[in-house]
Amino acid sequence: MQPSDTVSRMLEEGAACLKRSELGKAASIIANAAETAAKGKDDAGRGRALAQLAALEESRGEVAKASEYNRSAQDIFLAIGDGPGLVQSFRVDAFLHVRQRNHTAAAHSFAKALSLSIQLDGRLVLTTLDQVIPAVRHLVEADQLSALLPLGAALARAVENPAAEQMPDLREFADLAASVAGVLAPLGVMAEEQNLSDPKRRQLAARSTHQAWAVDALTKQRWGLAALVKEALQTKLSFHEELD
């Protein structure tokens, strides 16, 4: 189910304003889109408009408003069976949890988004990972590496999806997501477990580094994960060995 042409155009205009950082104008246009969709009984359009409002308010740090909009959007997406819409709303949930420093809940929300996207569309998998990586970068910069353990573990479980085995076209995207998960979990273990032996630390560091190089090679440096891992190891975990 797709939004009406009128609502779609309004949402595109709102998204363009967002890209130009014209947040007030974007909020007005998207709110008008939601109202237009409600009057026209356009559930798909109303759900997408509310989801955009949720993402906008999250970007402004308005957690309560964003949560309210996102809950309403999820209710609509569930009612009409809009899978891509649900993926988007799960991602917003994750960022809201990150803002509240509820990292385990954020991990589960990202995992739900990834699990569903793997069943739907490879582009949704990439878009989801496009949003996971900035969250990872934020956690590294905020010295919250221990939060990478539940995130990596949750992403790994999301990839273990029987539905993906029935969809060969999506297998490569699931494998990519698994590699990303394999980058994060070892860093989280190293941050969480302070009494690891040196051999175990070297093993975990090598595993994370090699997986990051693999992801960078597969995605043509889309996320620069190897550089992020190096930064985490050298500045947050005081691990200075060069790994080949």
Side-chain angles (χ1 to χ4, degrees), residues 45-64:
R46 184 163 176 264
R48 294 304 176 97
L50 291 171
Q52 280 197 21
L53 285 172
L56 187 152
E57 295 298 346
E58 185 279 325
S59 72
R60 297 202 284 198
E62 296 289 345
V63 172

Side-chain angles (χ1 to χ4, degrees), residues 21-221:
S21 297
E22 299 171 356
L23 300 186
K25 184 176 181 181
S28 177
I29 292 171
I30 298 169
N32 286 338
E35 184 177 351
T36 300
K39 289 180 179 177
K41 297 183 179 180
D42 175 6
D43 288 339
R46 184 163 176 264
R48 294 304 176 97
L50 291 171
Q52 280 197 21
L53 285 172
L56 187 152
E57 295 298 346
E58 185 279 325
S59 72
R60 297 202 284 198
E62 296 289 345
V63 172
K65 285 184 181 179
S67 297
E68 182 178 353
Y69 284 133
N70 208 39
R71 281 195 298 271
S72 297
Q74 281 188 19
D75 288 344
I76 293 172
F77 293 146
L78 283 168
I80 66 176
D82 187 339
L86 276 174
V87 170
Q88 179 184 0
S89 66
F90 291 153
R91 294 195 302 250
V92 173
D93 273 342
F95 280 107
L96 289 170
H97 288 309
V98 169
R99 282 191 178 275
Q100 297 169 304
R101 299 188 179 183
N102 192 343
H103 298 130
T104 299
H108 292 319
S109 293
F110 275 131
K112 286 196 296 184
L114 182 59
S115 179
L116 183 55
S117 67
I118 286 171
Q119 299 177 54
L120 297 172
D121 190 326
R123 290 169 297 180
L124 282 174
V125 176
L126 287 177
T127 303
T128 298
L129 294 176
D130 276 337
Q131 297 195 2
V132 168
I133 303 306
V136 170
R137 191 172 299 279
H138 165 76
L139 293 173
V140 171
E141 292 172 351
D143 202 14
Q144 296 286 329
L145 269 78
S146 59
L148 298 182
L149 178 55
L151 178 56
L155 294 183
R157 286 195 297 272
V159 173
E160 296 170 359
N161 192 324
E165 298 294 341
Q166 308 303 317
M167 302 176 183
D169 292 344
L170 295 180
R171 187 65 255 171
E172 63 180 293
F173 296 100
D175 289 343
L176 175 62
S179 294
V180 172
V183 173
L184 306 183
L187 293 178
V189 171
M190 293 175 71
E192 187 78 15
E193 301 293 338
Q194 300 298 320
N195 298 318
L196 289 171
S197 66
D198 285 343
K200 184 63 174 178
R201 284 170 59 80
R202 284 194 294 273
Q203 181 186 45
L204 290 170
R207 184 186 306 170
S208 182
T209 302
H210 292 162
Q211 289 278 63
W213 285 339
V215 172
D216 282 355
L218 288 170
T219 63
K220 299 180 180 179
Q221 299 287 327

